Amino acid sequence: MTRMIERWFPCREVSENSESGWGSGSTEASLFTWFAKRPTAQAKAALICSLLPWPDDDAEQKRLQDIVRDAMTGRYAAWEELRQEIIRANGSDATVADPFSGRGMIPLEAARLGVSAVAVDYSPVAVLASEVLTASPFRSWDDEQQVRFGGPPQALYEDRPRLVRDVEAIFAEVGHRFNKAMSDYYPSVRGRQPWAYLWAITLPCQECGRRFPLTGSYRLRGAKQRPARGGRPAYLDPGQSFYIEADRSAGTWKAVVHDGPPNHSPTLAKSLGPDGRPIAGKSAVCPFCSHPHPLAVHRRLANEGYGQDALLVVADFGAEVSKTFRAPTFEELEAIEAAARDLRKEPPFRPGVPAIPDEGIGPGNNNIIGPSIYGARTYGDLMCDRQTLGFVRLSRIIGQVCAEMRDVHGLSNSYVRALAGYLGAVLVRRLRRSTRSTTLQVYADGRPPGATDIYLNEGSITFSYDYLETGLAGGSGTWEELSERTLRELSDILPTKPGVAVDVARGSATALAMRTGSISAVVTDPPYDQMIAYSDSSDLLFCWLKRALVESHADILMTSDLLGVQEKQEEIIVKRSRGLARAEVQDHRTRAHYDSKIALAFQEMRRVVRDDGVVTIVFGHGEPEVWQRLLGSIEQARLVMTGSWPANTEAGGQQGKANIKTTLTMSCRPAPNDRPPGRKGAVEAEIKAEIRRRYPDWERWGLAPADMLMAAAGPAMEVVGRYAQVLDAKGEPVDIYTFLPLARAAVQEAMAVEIDHHPLETFDARTSFALWWVRLYGRQPQPKSELRWQTLASSMELAEVRDLVPDADKGVRFTMVGQFKAHITTDSYVIDVALALAAASEEGLAAMGAVLAASGRGADDTYLWATVKFLADRLPESDPDAVAFSRVLRVRDGIANAAETVIASSQVRHQRQRTADAQLKLL
């Protein structure tokens, strides 16, 4: 039975819903920290299209397409219709598996539809995230004993779900106990609790020896126009800043808070060297003697352990202004010292698990765990003492509450585990707003300041010399604020239709604990090569979770490696290791490791899927080389790609080393055993024919040309998969990857693009490339990888077209006329002449005539003028180059006349020169 995903996919609806709203998955992803969020719109579409059939009847096809489009309007849209169609096609025992489940976004959609699903991930942190999202919300807990925190049970008059009520109760209980346990270390001032504390690391000056704090900004709060209120007139709040005041005689410093913008240069800033040239990076400038310490120097000092924490400024809640800043009091400084003393007295959580995490940061993690460049050796080194004490006591309190729910309240182990998962969710959210990686967020529009996320760079932890510590009040990053947000998100995602809890398990995708042929569809989002080092990035979370959840998740302690962090032996990624010395062992997670393991995983998927089922893979990467390796792994697993559908599901941000905007949802089937060999020429012809056959459907469904290029991979690989191997004219096997550029070229042919009635393929190759690029992207920047794809499809070398598509906006973009440089001769390509004419247009007819004359072309060169007209029409009206090309078109005849004049003048000069040369010979 052909599946819908092999012939159609709601590309447009997935793209439209992935950025915001129900389909973005933002609420689901916020519930528990994990990486590489898969939009729920794409997860839902991939799941249902993998389970629904593709009938032969056109009317039935349209009916099912309409159901799917309707389903893409909300979380539970078209729920009844989808359920019926899925059961009709798969039976009531339909089962879906995701062997790389992460936080479980794909299995979640199965749970919502009432389809049994199995979620497997190698990271215990990801497994916990998946349980919280895909298992606990779909179970009934009504038979459990009452949670007796916070007063008498409210079940008699409370209509909220049991899970929500109990989560709220344990959040409040933990918050109450935590505030009580830490209140002495965060003293109130004038009856108010501060919401945050701004710290900085100090280093000794290498010139004068005095310690000074390193801070990159003195701004605390932006200016804002305040409205009139309560009889008070409107006024301009100037905001607040501070500076470091150094007392040279005493050798001491202090932070001075003042109104308005900064009026001093921060101690961490750009500076000049002795030769007057700028020093690379930011220098640490001593406020005592003004000596600049270059980046390499202050980084070395920090890495060698010379850094010490110092409190700079305290952040209060204000009366008229919501957040204000001031200098710390003597009592607050004493409390910090008390926290440092008492931290050393904290007993271990259990043998081998000390209070302060001693789990080592693995070698080669400089680009993932930023603090490791600045002296952090263990995950206990990432916080100041008071922050660490707070997390030690919070973790103990969570464990105590879990033990009481089981031993005193009589809750089952499974329900304690479920509730503990949400406590863990808030714990890791607090970690995201803690450590020396959290900074003060100051908004330019005057919004109240907040705390930044330590995972600003997606899968890596940043580092800052000046950092923010959140307090006990209800501000950004506190237990109160984060627990309230988590409770809202849990309430939002609770199922409104009958669902089925996902079976979540920790394991390797290379050894699935599933019977052969037992799964209706495997739908998965595997790791993207070297984009994110999932385990390394989440080891900080793991260290604290195994302390906090020891009473509810004993299994989490069984997943540590020799450093005490998560196992990584079977993790299927490519690890970008930095900071490894030659003598150290290189990380085993190489490209060879990834390629072999991902192929084994695909083999397992092939084994467990039913004969009539599909393996659907969601993957996104811009690099042709990565696709080559992925397709090789799919082929090695004896899977055949049968569909490929693009959608814009990513923000385009830098993930690892690749800029991703578009992902492909690809369907695969087990390769038949009796496939014959094929010949390269015949296979190429089949690919072109298949793409010509499908092109009208793509056009009818509204796929953009750029999306068609990516969709072409499906039919191309389907054709190649009909053969056991493809041989060239010499009988040598052909790499299947070579057919991807051919498929893209076939799309271009199928589109039958004409430039002023001239088929695109009749232009010279360089001009054809340029016009096709502009046809696809106009002036919009694209990832550099797209340039590599297009050159491959055009059978050209990158160097042949690099000047046409230079670097721009962290990617590439079609050249601006003013930037393009070319010496025009009679051998010049059409596109070069067109660009040179536009560049000369501002100089007048004579300059343009000179270009045309040098090219040897005239007013009747239809290819040249078709190119100029195309560029004038295709580039945006506001684009100055579009104006230039239009200008060239308007004076076409004048340019030709000017060219004739140039040629005639040149002929006269040559004739005169010949005459002069002849006369010289006579003499």
Side-chain angles (χ1 to χ4, degrees):
M1 174 175 57
T2 301
R3 297 287 173 168
M4 175 179 279
I5 198 167
E6 298 176 288
R7 291 295 177 265
W8 179 83
F9 189 76
C11 300
R12 179 186 299 174
E13 289 80 2
V14 169
S15 296
E16 290 174 350
N17 286 294
S18 290
E19 185 174 352
S20 60
W22 75 271
S24 69
S26 295
T27 300
E28 290 85 348
S30 297
L31 193 61
F32 199 110
T33 295
W34 193 241
F35 313 102
K37 180 195 76 174
R38 178 58 41 219
T40 50
Q42 187 176 32
K44 184 176 185 179
L47 179 83
I48 60 181
C49 290
S50 298
L51 292 173
L52 291 175
W54 185 251
D56 295 330
D57 182 70
D58 290 347
E60 271 296 285
Q61 292 174 8
K62 184 179 184 305
R63 186 182 70 83
L64 289 177
Q65 285 175 310
D66 289 342
I67 292 175
V68 172
R69 288 195 178 101
D70 187 23
M72 299 306 294
T73 61
R75 282 195 182 108
Y76 288 92
W79 188 87
E80 291 287 352
E81 297 91 332
L82 282 177
R83 280 274 302 157
Q84 293 175 10
E85 296 297 338
I86 289 172
I87 292 173
R88 184 178 294 124
N90 302 272
S92 58
D93 60 343
T95 305
V96 175
D98 182 356
F100 295 102
S101 60
R103 65 161 58 87
M105 299 296 268
I106 292 172
L108 173 64
E109 295 306 315
R112 285 172 168 164
L113 279 167
V115 176
S116 297
V118 181
V120 178
D121 202 273
Y122 190 61
S123 164
V125 179
V127 170
L128 182 58
S130 191
E131 288 180 354
V132 163
L133 181 64
T134 70
S136 299
F138 292 90
R139 293 197 172 105
S140 173
W141 307 105
D142 291 339
D143 293 336
E144 292 285 341
Q145 297 294 317
Q146 292 296 323
V147 172
R148 298 194 298 274
F149 296 127
Q154 300 178 2
L156 295 177
Y157 52 89
E158 175 69 78
D159 61 355
R160 291 182 301 168
R162 171 73 186 274
L163 181 63
V164 173
R165 300 197 309 268
D166 289 349
V167 167
E168 181 180 47
I170 61 172
F171 280 176
E173 182 66 20
V174 169
H176 170 72
R177 295 188 189 188
F178 177 63
N179 282 357
K180 184 178 179 181
M182 294 299 297
S183 59
D184 289 345
Y185 308 106
Y186 294 92
S188 298
V189 176
R190 294 186 294 276
R192 289 184 177 177
Q193 270 280 354
W195 72 272
Y197 304 81
L198 184 63
W199 293 71
I201 292 175
T202 67
L203 289 173
C205 175
Q206 299 300 280
E207 182 68 19
C208 69
R210 298 180 176 93
R211 278 192 169 273
F212 65 96
L214 278 66
T215 176
S217 174
Y218 283 155
R219 188 179 296 276
L220 296 170
R221 191 183 75 242
K224 183 176 183 179
Q225 186 68 38
R226 302 287 175 179
R229 186 172 59 187
R232 185 203 63 195
Y235 72 101
L236 176 65
D237 170 16
Q240 284 183 292
S241 303
F242 76 103
Y243 64 90
I244 300 299
E245 182 179 84
D247 185 335
R248 289 176 172 82
S249 59
T252 60
W253 59 266
K254 65 179 179 179
V256 179
V257 179
H258 62 87
D259 290 341
N263 52 26
H264 290 68
S265 295
T267 57
L268 195 63
K270 290 284 187 180
S271 64
L272 301 177
D275 57 0
R277 295 182 179 180
I279 299 176
K282 288 186 177 182
S283 296
V285 182
C286 175
F288 294 98
C289 67
S290 300
H291 178 70
H293 301 71
L295 173 63
V297 174
H298 64 73
R299 180 180 287 176
R300 174 182 59 79
L301 292 171
N303 196 33
E304 291 176 356
Y306 289 100
Q308 294 179 7
D309 298 300
L311 180 63
L312 300 179
V313 173
V314 179
D316 278 331
F317 287 109
E320 294 185 357
V321 177
S322 61
K323 291 179 179 178
T324 62
F325 296 84
R326 59 171 174 80
T329 66
F330 177 74
E331 290 77 14
E332 287 171 324
L333 296 176
E334 277 195 325
I336 290 171
E337 294 181 4
R341 290 194 303 270
D342 291 350
L343 174 62
R344 309 300 173 222
K345 303 174 185 177
E346 288 287 330
F349 283 82
R350 60 167 50 189
V353 184
I356 303 173
D358 63 349
E359 291 87 344
I361 300 172
N365 269 324
N366 287 358
N367 61 318
I368 298 170
I369 312 299
S372 64
I373 306 175
Y374 296 87
R377 300 291 179 264
T378 70
Y379 285 97
D381 293 337
L382 268 57
M383 302 176 183
C384 69
D385 288 340
R386 188 166 66 176
Q387 283 178 311
T388 303
L389 180 64
F391 276 97
V392 168
R393 295 199 171 176
L394 177 59
S395 298
R396 291 197 199 281
I397 290 166
I398 289 174
Q400 292 163 3
V401 166
C402 290
E404 289 176 27
M405 287 192 293
R406 182 189 64 235
D407 301 335
V408 179
H409 299 184
L411 272 60
S412 67
N413 289 333
S414 59
Y415 194 35
V416 171
R417 183 182 179 96
L419 294 174
Y422 296 102
L423 292 171
V426 183
L427 175 72
V428 299
R429 292 182 88 157
R430 281 210 76 218
L431 285 167
R432 291 185 66 156
R433 294 294 189 275
S434 301
T435 81
R436 295 190 185 93
S437 301
T438 296
T439 58
L440 177 68
Q441 177 72 64
V442 181
Y443 297 97
D445 59 4
R447 280 182 290 163
T452 62
D453 192 327
I454 67 173
Y455 290 107
L456 274 176
N457 296 329
E458 300 184 44
S460 60
I461 297 175
T462 56
F463 171 82
S464 179
Y465 281 115
D466 51 341
Y467 61 95
L468 193 73
E469 176 197 18
T470 56
L472 299 183
S476 174
T478 61
W479 179 269
E480 179 182 338
E481 186 259 344
L482 294 174
S483 61
E484 288 177 356
R485 194 190 308 175
T486 302
L487 189 67
R488 286 197 305 271
E489 289 157 354
L490 173 61
S491 301
D492 287 344
I493 68 161
L494 282 181
T496 59
K497 300 284 186 180
V500 176
V502 173
D503 180 6
V504 182
R506 181 180 179 269
S508 171
T510 62
L512 299 176
M514 304 172 195
R515 289 182 294 105
T516 299
S518 61
I519 304 299
S520 307
V522 175
V523 186
T524 192
D525 179 11
Y528 294 1
D529 198 67
Q530 61 177 359
M531 282 191 191
I532 297 176
Y534 299 93
S535 294
D536 294 274
S537 297
S538 60
D539 274 339
L540 170 65
L541 313 180
F542 175 77
C543 290
W544 287 107
L545 284 170
K546 74 179 187 181
R547 285 164 171 78
L549 304 186
V550 66
E551 292 292 338
S552 57
H553 292 70
D555 53 321
I556 202 170
L557 289 172
M558 301 169 61
T559 59
S560 300
D561 64 8
L562 293 177
L563 292 174
V565 291
Q566 296 171 99
E567 289 178 345
K568 300 173 179 66
Q569 191 60 37
E570 295 297 316
E571 186 179 28
I572 306 177
I573 64 164
V574 178
K575 176 69 182 300
R576 290 184 295 122
S577 296
R578 292 182 185 172
L580 280 174
R582 288 186 177 181
E584 291 178 292
V585 177
Q586 296 296 312
D587 198 289
H588 69 281
R589 290 166 290 177
T590 62
R591 287 183 172 178
H593 168 87
Y594 177 89
D595 292 347
S596 64
K597 293 294 184 180
I598 201 75
L600 286 174
F602 289 152
Q603 288 177 23
E604 275 292 88
M605 297 178 206
R606 177 182 178 275
R607 177 185 68 80
V608 301
V609 77
R610 294 178 183 175
D611 292 339
D612 62 342
V614 293
V615 174
T616 295
I617 302 167
V618 180
F619 195 81
H621 209 288
E623 297 297 331
E625 183 267 342
V626 174
W627 280 103
Q628 178 179 8
R629 291 168 38 226
L630 180 78
L631 289 175
S633 298
I634 291 174
E635 182 185 39
Q636 186 179 340
R638 299 192 74 249
L639 286 170
V640 177
M641 191 189 302
T642 57
S644 172
W645 306 101
N648 296 325
T649 59
E650 311 296 324
Q654 191 77 8
Q655 300 182 10
K657 292 184 70 177
N659 187 292
I660 301 299
K661 289 185 179 179
T662 303
T663 52
L664 287 186
T665 304
M666 303 170 288
S667 60
C668 301
R669 282 185 180 270
N673 293 322
D674 55 351
R675 294 178 298 166
R679 288 290 176 180
K680 182 173 183 287
V683 171
E684 289 176 343
E686 285 185 63
I687 290 173
K688 292 179 180 180
E690 187 66 24
I691 288 176
R692 281 197 302 272
R693 187 177 70 81
R694 298 196 190 183
Y695 174 76
D697 285 337
W698 293 345
E699 193 172 47
R700 178 163 50 89
W701 296 332
L703 263 67
D707 290 339
M708 293 182 190
L709 294 177
M710 300 196 74
M717 293 301 101
E718 183 177 357
V719 169
V720 174
R722 296 170 186 166
Y723 303 96
Q725 61 178 340
V726 179
L727 307 174
D728 62 16
K730 297 181 180 179
E732 298 292 330
V734 180
D735 189 332
I736 62 170
Y737 168 75
T738 61
F739 295 104
L740 278 189
L742 171 72
R744 285 175 160 244
V747 171
Q748 181 178 325
E749 291 179 18
M751 289 179 65
V753 175
E754 291 189 348
I755 309 297
D756 199 22
H757 307 296
H758 297 285
L760 183 61
E761 60 268 22
T762 62
F763 288 74
D764 65 80
R766 180 174 159 91
T767 302
S768 177
F769 173 89
L771 299 178
W772 177 240
W773 183 278
V774 173
R775 168 72 173 78
L776 291 175
Y777 309 118
R779 188 70 82 187
Q780 295 298 314
Q782 298 297 318
K784 290 182 180 180
S785 55
E786 185 59 25
L787 177 59
R788 289 189 282 275
W789 277 116
Q790 293 297 347
T791 53
L792 286 171
S794 301
S795 300
M796 300 184 74
E797 295 295 329
L798 190 61
E800 296 180 79
V801 296
R802 197 64 176 90
D803 58 334
L804 292 174
V805 191
D807 292 348
D809 298 333
K810 297 183 180 181
V812 293
R813 182 171 57 192
F814 186 67
T815 185
M816 301 292 293
V817 164
Q819 298 174 339
F820 185 75
K821 306 296 180 186
H823 176 64
I824 302 301
T825 69
T826 54
D827 294 327
S828 294
Y829 297 100
V830 168
I831 186 62
D832 296 346
V833 179
L835 290 166
L837 282 171
S841 65
E842 290 189 359
E843 301 177 37
L845 281 174
M848 290 186 283
V851 170
L852 191 62
S855 73
R857 302 177 185 273
D860 58 348
D861 191 315
T862 56
Y863 285 96
L864 172 62
W865 298 107
T867 297
V868 173
K869 183 177 185 299
F870 177 83
L871 294 172
D873 293 341
R874 276 284 171 176
L875 293 174
E877 291 183 8
S878 59
D879 193 307
D881 287 359
V883 176
F885 285 116
S886 298
R887 187 187 304 130
V888 172
L889 277 180
R890 285 198 304 270
V891 294
R892 170 178 174 176
D893 292 338
I895 297 172
N897 293 334
E900 291 176 0
T901 300
V902 170
I903 293 170
S905 297
S906 177
Q907 290 173 344
V908 169
R909 286 195 304 273
H910 283 104
Q911 182 59 45
R912 288 175 178 171
Q913 185 64 47
R914 285 195 296 270
T915 302
D917 291 344
Q919 290 174 345
L920 285 172
K921 288 182 179 179
L922 291 174
L923 294 174

